[in-house]
Amino acid sequence: MRRLTYGQAISEATVQCMEADPSIFVAGIGVDDFKGIFGTTLEAHRRFGDKRVFDIPNGENAMTGIAIGAAAVGKRPLVVHPRNDFMFLCMDQLANLAAKWRYMFANGTGVPIVLRGIVGRGWGQGATHSQSLQAMFAHFPGLHVGTPATPADAKGLLVSALTGTAPVVLLENRALYELEGEVPEGLEAVPFGKGAVTRPGTDITIVGVSLMAYEALRAARILADQGVDAEVIDLRSVRPLDEELVLTSLRKTGRLVVADTSWALCGVSAEVAAIAAEKGFVSLKAPVRRVTPPDSPAPVSKPLEDAFHPNPMTIARACLDVLKAAGASTKGVADVQATFAGPY
Amino acid sequence: MRRLTYGQAISEATVQCMEADPSIFVAGIGVDDFKGIFGTTLEAHRRFGDKRVFDIPNGENAMTGIAIGAAAVGKRPLVVHPRNDFMFLCMDQLANLAAKWRYMFANGTGVPIVLRGIVGRGWGQGATHSQSLQAMFAHFPGLHVGTPATPADAKGLLVSALTGTAPVVLLENRALYELEGEVPEGLEAVPFGKGAVTRPGTDITIVGVSLMAYEALRAARILADQGVDAEVIDLRSVRPLDEELVLTSLRKTGRLVVADTSWALCGVSAEVAAIAAEKGFVSLKAPVRRVTPPDSPAPVSKPLEDAFHPNPMTIARACLDVLKAAGASTKGVADVQATFAGPY
Amino acid sequence: MDRELGRRLLGDMIRIRRAEETLADLYPAQEMRTPTHFSIGQEAVAVGVCAALHRTDVIYSGHRCHAHYLAKGGSLDAMVAELYGKETGCARGRGGSVHLSDPAAGVLASSAILGQTMAVAVGTALAFAMDGLPRVAVSFFGDGTVEEGIFHEALNFAVVKKVPVLFVCENNGYSTHTRLDVRQPASVTIRARAASYGLPAQAVDGNDVFAVYDTAQTALTHCRSGAGPAFIECATYRWREHVGPLWDHDKGYRTKAEVDDWVARCPIKSATARLLREGLCTPADVDAMTRASQAAVNHAVAAAKAAPFPAVEDLTLGTY
Amino acid sequence: MDRELGRRLLGDMIRIRRAEETLADLYPAQEMRTPTHFSIGQEAVAVGVCAALHRTDVIYSGHRCHAHYLAKGGSLDAMVAELYGKETGCARGRGGSVHLSDPAAGVLASSAILGQTMAVAVGTALAFAMDGLPRVAVSFFGDGTVEEGIFHEALNFAVVKKVPVLFVCENNGYSTHTRLDVRQPASVTIRARAASYGLPAQAVDGNDVFAVYDTAQTALTHCRSGAGPAFIECATYRWREHVGPLWDHDKGYRTKAEVDDWVARCPIKSATARLLREGLCTPADVDAMTRASQAAVNHAVAAAKAAPFPAVEDLTLGTY
Ligand SMILES: Cc1ncc(C[n+]2csc(CCOP(=O)(O)OP(=O)(O)O)c2C)c(N)n1
Ligand SMILES: Cc1ncc(C[n+]2csc(CCOP(=O)(O)OP(=O)(O)O)c2C)c(N)n1
Ligand SMILES: [Mg+2]
Ligand SMILES: [Mg+2]
């Protein structure tokens, strides 16, 4: 299959969906400028012009309501936020109207708006520009929340969003934009509520969210060198969440590490751990471990920023701890050195 | 000790703190009107007048920032929201500035604002006026989030908030306002991060959040009639969260049911279950169970509303299920009848 | 004035008044378990504006939405059933009094969160503009809603994108129990602040249904011309308590004299007087309208009471 | 014009220009790992306003905060160290370029989220008013920030509560790469919309530091008098790219001619010309100022590079 970058996949999904459905339009700060949201809206703007891909005034709360109002009469708005952190300002319209519309008015139709929010991980983006807000969105019934970690999922989840019936938040991680991978040519949807086993394994299950699904694969390579065969699950969709996939893997491995880009408390990592405790208990052979940023805002200074975000090393270490805690024979596992620099 | 209602306790804490600290002021929609936020601000307004207890224009986002700016130069603002649902509009200022201020500016001082948000449970308040948003607030490091369920805690947590250094969100449940209980006369603080065992027991641990801490006690009475001795924990504070108290109880009972006023996914119930899976695993004898509202917005129609919110019966049933799942001898436990009407 | 129009305007106000007075009387029976904001005294705004709309135009409202819903042609039976929490309600009992909608009649949504539907109406108007349709979206909101940031964002966007939205501010002088002058600059009117966004903004006596109708007509013509949004500020008054069926002039935030003064300027009374004066209707006609309206309400109440509650198995139905 | 004042205004602009030009030159070395919004070309607004402030007045800024911070007396060494992510930074390396503060100098906070600090400044002014202090809080923000709902809520609250806050809108014609006329009603100026809140609002040439100073003086006198807030709209222009150290007139959203035109109207050049013309300073004075400023920046950079990074053990320090 031909390969695209994560960013190219988003652009292609946008263009193909807009071709297939004239009711789709793209709105957001800078969607029509020379940067085109890291290139993801350039082609759509070139093809469909200012009428369907347009810049907007600042004002995130109203823009969300405006998207809702357009969707209420048949449009399919795709609103882009260069940073998902700006979406705190959308929360009222998003969680308290869009998410509730279909149920609360019980008039059949919902408001299938799609909000893309980019997670600005890295390079000193700091406390207010590098958060990853999936847990805040996912808490609310009525929304679908996706966290693509591969080019194929970036395309497939956007296709699902633009062809589905639910209001959707898609969180894209800036650190993945240049990642290359195979992407289907056509309009193939990746359904919400379906995770993916990105690496089969038998010793332990690593569930990764957003960028951490990618880091989990790198961690699995480190673990392989240590003689540990980890199974990696990319959650892909946080609401609905693919419980069955996690539980199936747990039945096989009996051990679980959850790696998330956001904080532990009431985070997605808490939800996955809770599912294990509620429905995977009989399979569990060892305590679950969460690998997340510590309880502080994101710092700017590089050494702090590097220490703040989970990485393959911290994920791998957590796995080894779980395996040891479980007293499992870790087949002569040597401790992972912090100095380890794998061939990523 | 003399008894007060939950509402009276809030009023007393406000007045006593304002007497002790002239930098405290109360601002909010209707804090100075004849209703005085269900009576909680009437006495403060009578005593301290319009200069320290004043009405404001609508505009929740700015009001939060205004409180921050006043706190930045030494004031202690207490902002009241008649419904915590309106605080979606505060999220940017609250989570993306107040919570981060002390860390992000690293200049020693923080902005100790206190936001009271009332949960409008019941009587057809519906989808946008009866949510309980503790999980959304608690996800963010830098905030303290309290969910008092007794008059003493309603007073004690407010005292902690108005004398502490962190930005605080206190979620008060309207259904508890008339609840009576013993309340210390003085300015006794209930620290954030400390839960309470409100009923000691040996068979199973029920952790309750907000109103559910109260319902859990009622559930425990039902269970007692069934020969089950439940230990009830009132979490009281969601961030910081009293892990140790939950783990200590688990070591004793080995079984856990978590009841929350909000949804399960990425909710406080997920966090407590995750703590059990991470740090209480060796004590766990049975799967954890969460008792929460189902995945839908809150309906208005009474039969639906009654079915939507967890209650003593659903909590008690979950406990019996856990005990059975664990194959524990439930000492001749009869199934709880839905028709049960305990002497509440 | 046109005879049919005049009678329709009066008839609609009577219809709404009868409905709300009746529901207010029944409310204490505790069968309608949903916080309810009555529009009694403010009917002329809803009726005057909606009478000027085309069938294909749509409206959005807020927490005080009964009059708007009924004036645009929303089903009375479905509204009453909704207040009683029944499956036959316009939101099948899920939404309650503050979430009325009737898409078939062009009542797209009402919301209890201040300002939410202002932006939503702009979005609907944006969609109309994109499709080059002559349809207009109306946003009804109160003077208190003007203070919310979304008011500013919505007006700015509507003007910049030239969308056909009519903003109708129902200025009843209060936000819950707080007077306007405690909440907004005393030196500038809401109309003037709206005008500063560069759209035509007109103030009108919100208790004069004929004046509201004429003002709405002019504003709507502007919107349909493709010139963008328009704004109307209607001065009116809420008779009953902010939420609930009772009178509250004894609560201290307003005087009985103030209430009496506005009751004396009842929009229905003055409209009736004018139609009689101009010979466009007779006292008998008014009685007939009133009786017919009352009968319709009574029927709606009886039907609502008899209707089934939603099935508990359907608790989460429609969430996704 | 007063000689000392004139020289101070020029000197402060030169100081800020030297600092930013130097940092912009060093930025590509990738040692400053923090998104940085340079104020080059806009110095007159920061300097003109801050020179009119008392030591006890405070300021708040946004993402483009270097000039405001330095003009109010924020530590240069601490700012440079902050950009280098060092423990000696004004935020100990935690905050970065967009979160500058120096409470001792009255720079209380800067924030990268549009409009946040507008409300915060109002709150600080509210506190000053409650304590009957003659202090003023200044809110610096850009033309793009005017579109955020919080602009509306903040102005409304400030006027209603009569708090001593000075709103300073730095109108550089763009919000990232979007021209003002795409974002706001073309028929009304920002100044006029601000005035509609019932506060004194004045427009001024933001590249004329002396005019800015005089306008700020008048506005501040109003604020100190207890009459409430005031508003200034300063027309100016950003020379470099929105974020980062480069020129970007080749990127298509603005023309080289437009940039050149504004560069020709450099606030420092015109201020220098006027002081020389009026004999308030000599070319030698200007050279001396420039050299001294350059030396200070070079020293700050050297110190920042030599300073230690924060200790990783302190990662969560100060959160609560
Ligand atoms: C965002 C938000 N803040 C506060 C409230 C509480 N509230 C409900 S109605 C109301 C008064 C609104 O006044 P106005 O807009 O003038 O409408 P009126 O009730 O006078 O018809 C308030 C403050 C709310 N529903 N939403
Ligand atoms: C709430 C919010 N929305 C969007 C952004 C992204 N953003 C950062 S700076 C900027 C432009 C702001 O323009 P203006 O206020 O005029 O300031 P300038 O950059 O021109 O100095 C935008 C849109 C943001 N930081 N915060
Ligand atoms: Mg009103
Ligand atoms: Mg600008």
Side-chain angles (χ1 to χ4, degrees):
Chain A
M1 211 188 290
R2 66 44 207 273
R3 298 169 67 78
L4 294 179
T5 65
Y6 187 92
Q8 289 165 338
I10 292 166
S11 173
E12 182 174 273
T14 307
V15 169
Q16 291 180 352
C17 288
M18 290 181 80
E19 243 157 20
D21 182 350
S23 71
I24 296 172
F25 66 84
V26 179
I29 296 169
V31 294
D32 64 347
D33 72 17
F34 63 94
K35 289 190 171 171
I37 315 293
F38 310 109
T40 55
T41 59
L42 287 176
E43 179 63 12
H45 182 244
R46 199 184 60 68
R47 290 242 206 132
F48 305 106
D50 296 336
K51 282 195 77 62
R52 290 181 66 190
V53 180
F54 52 84
D55 205 347
I56 58 169
N58 299 314
E60 288 73 9
N61 193 24
M63 187 59 231
T64 313
I66 288 162
I68 291 170
V73 289
K75 293 292 180 192
R76 283 191 160 276
L78 170 58
V79 181
V80 188
H81 294 277
R83 288 288 176 273
N84 78 122
D85 312 70
F86 308 152
M87 294 169 70
F88 282 116
L89 291 161
C90 306
M91 278 310 281
D92 180 61
Q93 290 280 354
L94 186 61
N96 220 12
L97 186 58
K100 295 168 169 60
W101 188 286
R102 191 162 175 230
Y103 183 89
M104 180 167 80
F105 297 119
N107 53 26
T109 70
V111 283
I113 63 173
V114 180
L115 273 50
R116 284 178 51 200
I118 295 166
V119 176
R121 155 78 185 270
W123 222 76
Q125 290 283 328
T128 65
H129 276 55
S130 62
Q131 290 163 102
S132 196
L133 302 175
Q134 56 272 20
M136 177 177 77
F137 299 123
H139 186 55
F140 297 95
L143 296 180
H144 283 182
V145 181
T147 52
T150 67
D153 290 341
K155 179 176 181 180
L157 284 168
L158 183 50
V159 170
S160 278
L162 289 171
T163 53
T165 59
V168 171
V169 174
L170 284 174
L171 296 182
E172 305 160 359
N173 198 296
R174 179 68 185 89
L176 292 168
Y177 263 62
E178 282 67 39
L179 179 70
E180 267 202 9
E182 296 191 335
V183 177
E185 311 261 348
L187 273 179
E188 284 170 44
V190 170
F192 283 89
K194 286 265 158 274
V197 173
T198 53
R199 181 190 193 282
T202 55
D203 297 340
I204 187 165
T205 301
I206 310 176
V207 173
V209 181
S210 182
L211 178 63
M212 290 306 138
Y214 175 73
E215 300 291 51
L217 280 174
R218 296 166 61 187
R221 285 195 224 110
I222 299 173
L223 290 165
D225 297 348
Q226 306 284 322
V228 174
D229 181 24
E231 174 148 302
V232 177
I233 289 179
D234 178 349
L235 214 48
R236 299 204 294 192
S237 159
V238 175
R239 178 181 283 275
L241 193 151
D242 194 346
E243 289 188 1
E244 214 28 65
L245 190 72
V246 174
L247 295 171
T248 305
S249 179
L250 263 187
R251 279 182 218 108
K252 184 166 55 165
T253 66
R255 301 183 178 86
L256 176 64
V257 165
V258 191
D260 189 12
T261 49
S262 190
W263 298 286
L265 204 152
C266 296
V268 177
S269 64
E271 179 60 29
V272 175
I275 288 165
E278 264 194 322
K279 303 177 178 169
F281 182 72
V282 291
S283 320
L284 272 184
K285 300 190 200 127
V288 175
R289 271 289 287 280
R290 291 185 275 177
V291 182
T292 69
D295 269 344
S296 79
V300 163
S301 184
K302 183 151 194 321
L304 295 182
E305 190 179 47
D306 290 344
F308 180 80
H309 297 289
N311 59 50
M313 197 61 50
T314 52
I315 296 170
R317 273 215 211 74
C319 292
L320 293 175
D321 288 352
V322 168
L323 287 159
K324 289 186 198 134
S329 96
T330 44
K331 320 173 193 118
V333 167
D335 249 332
V336 180
Q337 300 312 313
T339 56
F340 179 99
Y344 305 157
Chain B
M1 212 187 295
R2 65 44 205 273
R3 297 169 67 79
L4 295 179
T5 65
Y6 187 91
Q8 288 165 339
I10 293 166
S11 173
E12 182 173 274
T14 308
V15 169
Q16 290 180 352
C17 288
M18 289 181 81
E19 243 157 18
D21 183 350
S23 71
I24 297 172
F25 67 83
V26 179
I29 296 169
V31 294
D32 65 346
D33 71 16
F34 64 93
K35 288 189 171 170
I37 314 294
F38 310 110
T40 55
T41 58
L42 287 176
E43 179 62 12
H45 183 244
R46 198 184 60 69
R47 289 241 205 134
F48 305 107
D50 296 335
K51 281 195 79 59
R52 289 181 66 190
V53 179
F54 53 84
D55 204 347
I56 58 170
N58 299 313
E60 287 74 8
N61 193 24
M63 188 58 231
T64 312
I66 288 161
I68 291 170
V73 290
K75 294 291 181 192
R76 284 191 158 277
L78 171 56
V79 181
V80 189
H81 293 278
R83 289 287 177 272
N84 79 122
D85 312 69
F86 307 152
M87 294 169 71
F88 282 116
L89 291 161
C90 306
M91 278 308 282
D92 180 61
Q93 290 280 353
L94 185 62
N96 221 11
L97 187 58
K100 295 168 169 59
W101 189 285
R102 191 159 173 233
Y103 183 89
M104 181 167 79
F105 297 119
N107 54 25
T109 70
V111 283
I113 63 173
V114 181
L115 307 189
R116 284 178 50 199
I118 296 167
V119 176
R121 156 77 186 271
W123 221 77
Q125 291 282 327
T128 65
H129 276 56
S130 62
Q131 291 162 102
S132 196
L133 302 175
Q134 55 272 19
M136 178 177 76
F137 299 123
H139 186 55
F140 298 95
L143 296 179
H144 282 182
V145 181
T147 53
T150 67
D153 290 341
K155 178 176 182 178
L157 284 168
L158 183 49
V159 170
S160 279
L162 290 171
T163 52
T165 60
V168 171
V169 174
L170 284 174
L171 296 182
E172 304 160 358
N173 198 298
R174 179 69 186 89
L176 292 168
Y177 262 63
E178 282 68 39
L179 179 70
E180 266 202 12
E182 294 190 337
V183 178
E185 312 259 349
L187 272 179
E188 283 170 45
V190 170
F192 284 88
K194 287 264 159 275
V197 173
T198 53
R199 182 190 194 282
T202 55
D203 298 339
I204 188 165
T205 301
I206 310 177
V207 172
V209 181
S210 182
L211 178 64
M212 290 306 138
Y214 174 74
E215 302 290 50
L217 280 174
R218 296 165 62 186
R221 285 196 222 109
I222 299 173
L223 290 166
D225 297 349
Q226 306 283 322
V228 174
D229 181 22
E231 174 147 304
V232 177
I233 288 179
D234 178 350
L235 215 47
R236 300 204 295 192
S237 160
V238 175
R239 178 181 284 275
L241 193 151
D242 194 346
E243 290 188 2
E244 213 29 62
L245 190 72
V246 174
L247 295 172
T248 305
S249 179
L250 264 187
R251 280 181 218 108
K252 184 166 52 165
T253 66
R255 301 183 178 87
L256 175 65
V257 165
V258 190
D260 189 10
T261 48
S262 190
W263 298 287
L265 203 152
C266 295
V268 178
S269 64
E271 180 60 29
V272 175
I275 289 165
E278 265 194 321
K279 303 177 178 170
F281 182 71
V282 292
S283 321
L284 272 183
K285 299 190 201 130
V288 175
R289 271 289 288 277
R290 291 185 275 178
V291 183
T292 69
D295 268 343
S296 79
V300 163
S301 183
K302 186 156 191 318
L304 295 182
E305 189 179 46
D306 291 344
F308 180 80
H309 297 288
N311 59 48
M313 196 61 48
T314 53
I315 297 170
R317 272 215 212 76
C319 291
L320 293 174
D321 288 351
V322 168
L323 287 157
K324 288 187 197 132
S329 96
T330 44
K331 322 177 193 111
V333 167
D335 249 331
V336 180
Q337 300 310 312
T339 56
F340 179 100
Y344 304 157
Chain C
M1 181 201 333
D2 175 74
R3 183 164 183 287
E4 281 324 303
L5 174 65
R7 293 165 66 103
R8 175 186 164 191
L9 293 173
L10 175 61
D12 282 354
M13 289 198 292
I14 290 174
R15 210 161 48 81
I16 294 166
R17 176 70 59 91
R18 284 291 93 239
E20 287 209 299
E21 293 270 8
T22 305
L23 292 169
D25 293 345
L26 294 166
Y27 200 76
Q30 306 264 328
E31 291 179 73
M32 291 174 258
R33 298 174 60 88
T34 170
T36 298
H37 309 76
F38 292 97
S39 311
I40 297 169
Q42 308 186 187
E43 299 88 351
V45 177
V47 170
V49 170
C50 290
L53 296 177
H54 298 168
R55 188 99 185 73
T56 53
D57 295 331
V58 300
I59 69 165
Y60 285 97
S61 182
H63 56 286
R64 200 173 304 284
C65 55
H66 299 177
H68 307 136
Y69 169 96
L70 292 173
K72 184 63 169 69
S75 156
L76 173 64
D77 290 355
M79 172 181 131
V80 175
E82 186 61 30
L83 268 64
Y84 276 88
K86 298 305 181 76
E87 182 69 18
T88 50
C90 60
R92 303 180 58 186
R94 273 72 172 175
S97 161
V98 294
H99 294 120
L100 301 183
S101 76
D102 187 341
V107 184
L108 294 196
S110 311
S111 145
I113 300 298
L114 299 183
Q116 271 186 340
T117 51
M118 291 192 73
V120 177
V122 171
T124 294
L126 172 69
F128 292 163
M130 290 175 93
D131 295 345
L133 299 172
R135 301 170 69 182
V136 174
V138 177
S139 166
F140 287 104
F141 57 94
D143 52 294
T145 306
V146 169
E147 294 140 34
E148 293 285 348
I150 198 162
F151 167 93
H152 173 71
E153 296 181 355
L155 262 68
N156 184 66
F157 189 102
V159 171
V160 168
K161 304 289 187 185
K162 285 193 164 204
V163 305
V165 59
L166 173 60
F167 297 106
V168 180
C169 177
E170 216 156 326
N171 183 353
N172 61 10
Y174 291 88
S175 177
T176 49
H177 312 118
T178 309
R179 302 185 65 92
L180 186 57
D181 56 14
V182 177
R183 302 177 284 111
Q184 294 177 36
S187 62
V188 196
T189 64
I190 289 172
R191 186 211 65 76
R193 247 171 305 133
S196 79
Y197 289 84
L199 48 63
Q202 191 61 48
V204 61
D205 175 353
N207 277 22
D208 178 343
V209 71
F210 309 111
V212 172
Y213 175 84
D214 293 339
T215 309
Q217 280 289 19
T218 312
L220 288 164
T221 307
H222 172 86
C223 296
R224 290 189 214 288
S225 75
F231 190 102
I232 309 178
E233 177 185 355
C234 309
T236 183
Y237 197 78
R238 158 175 60 82
W239 290 10
R240 305 288 179 109
E241 57 189 337
H242 166 68
V243 54
L246 309 177
W247 297 85
D248 68 351
H249 41 68
D250 55 338
K251 292 298 190 295
Y253 75 94
R254 57 180 184 176
T255 65
K256 177 141 196 332
E258 181 178 285
V259 177
D260 291 345
D261 176 53
W262 279 94
V263 169
R265 291 159 52 194
C266 170
I268 295 177
K269 212 171 81 186
S270 53
T272 306
R274 176 165 170 191
L275 289 191
L276 291 174
R277 197 167 61 245
E278 300 185 8
L280 300 177
C281 78
T282 68
D285 296 334
V286 179
D287 287 352
M289 290 178 186
T290 309
R291 272 196 311 278
S293 300
Q294 189 62 59
V297 177
N298 296 347
H299 169 274
V301 169
K305 288 187 173 186
F309 279 107
V312 171
E313 313 80 72
D314 295 341
L315 176 55
T316 64
L317 197 86
T319 305
Y320 288 108
Chain D
M1 180 201 334
D2 175 73
R3 183 164 183 287
E4 280 325 303
L5 173 65
R7 293 165 67 101
R8 176 188 166 191
L9 293 174
L10 176 61
D12 281 354
M13 289 198 293
I14 290 173
R15 210 161 48 81
I16 294 166
R17 177 69 60 90
R18 284 291 91 238
E20 287 209 301
E21 294 270 10
T22 305
L23 292 170
D25 293 345
L26 294 167
Y27 199 77
Q30 304 264 328
E31 290 179 71
M32 290 174 262
R33 299 174 60 88
T34 170
T36 299
H37 308 76
F38 291 97
S39 311
I40 297 168
Q42 307 186 192
E43 299 87 349
V45 177
V47 170
V49 170
C50 290
L53 296 177
H54 298 166
R55 189 100 186 68
T56 55
D57 295 331
V58 300
I59 69 165
Y60 286 97
S61 182
H63 56 286
R64 201 174 303 285
C65 55
H66 299 177
H68 307 135
Y69 168 96
L70 292 172
K72 184 61 167 72
S75 157
L76 173 64
D77 290 354
M79 172 181 130
V80 175
E82 186 61 29
L83 268 63
Y84 275 88
K86 299 306 180 74
E87 182 69 17
T88 50
C90 59
R92 302 181 58 185
R94 273 70 172 177
S97 162
V98 294
H99 294 119
L100 301 183
S101 76
D102 186 340
V107 184
L108 293 195
S110 311
S111 144
I113 300 297
L114 299 184
Q116 271 186 340
T117 51
M118 290 192 74
V120 176
V122 170
T124 294
L126 173 68
F128 291 162
M130 290 176 91
D131 295 345
L133 300 173
R135 301 170 69 182
V136 174
V138 177
S139 166
F140 287 103
F141 57 93
D143 52 294
T145 306
V146 169
E147 294 140 34
E148 293 286 347
I150 199 161
F151 167 93
H152 174 71
E153 296 181 356
L155 262 68
N156 184 67
F157 189 102
V159 170
V160 167
K161 303 290 185 186
K162 285 195 168 202
V163 304
V165 59
L166 173 60
F167 297 105
V168 180
C169 178
E170 216 155 327
N171 182 352
N172 60 11
Y174 290 88
S175 177
T176 50
H177 311 119
T178 310
R179 301 186 64 93
L180 185 57
D181 55 17
V182 178
R183 302 178 283 112
Q184 294 177 36
S187 63
V188 197
T189 64
I190 289 172
R191 187 212 65 76
R193 249 172 302 135
S196 79
Y197 289 84
L199 48 65
Q202 190 62 49
V204 60
D205 175 354
N207 277 22
D208 179 342
V209 71
F210 310 110
V212 172
Y213 175 83
D214 293 339
T215 310
Q217 281 289 16
T218 313
L220 288 163
T221 308
H222 172 86
C223 296
R224 290 189 214 289
S225 74
F231 191 102
I232 309 179
E233 177 185 355
C234 308
T236 183
Y237 197 77
R238 159 174 57 82
W239 291 10
R240 305 289 180 108
E241 58 189 333
H242 166 68
V243 54
L246 308 176
W247 297 85
D248 68 353
H249 40 68
D250 56 340
K251 293 297 190 297
Y253 75 94
R254 57 182 184 176
T255 64
K256 177 141 196 333
E258 181 179 283
V259 177
D260 292 344
D261 176 54
W262 279 94
V263 170
R265 291 161 50 196
C266 171
I268 295 177
K269 212 172 84 190
S270 53
T272 307
R274 175 164 171 192
L275 290 191
L276 292 173
R277 197 168 60 244
E278 299 186 7
L280 299 177
C281 77
T282 68
D285 296 334
V286 179
D287 287 353
M289 288 179 187
T290 310
R291 273 196 310 279
S293 300
Q294 190 61 60
V297 178
N298 296 346
H299 170 274
V301 170
K305 289 188 174 187
F309 279 106
V312 171
E313 311 82 72
D314 295 341
L315 177 55
T316 64
L317 196 87
T319 306
Y320 289 107

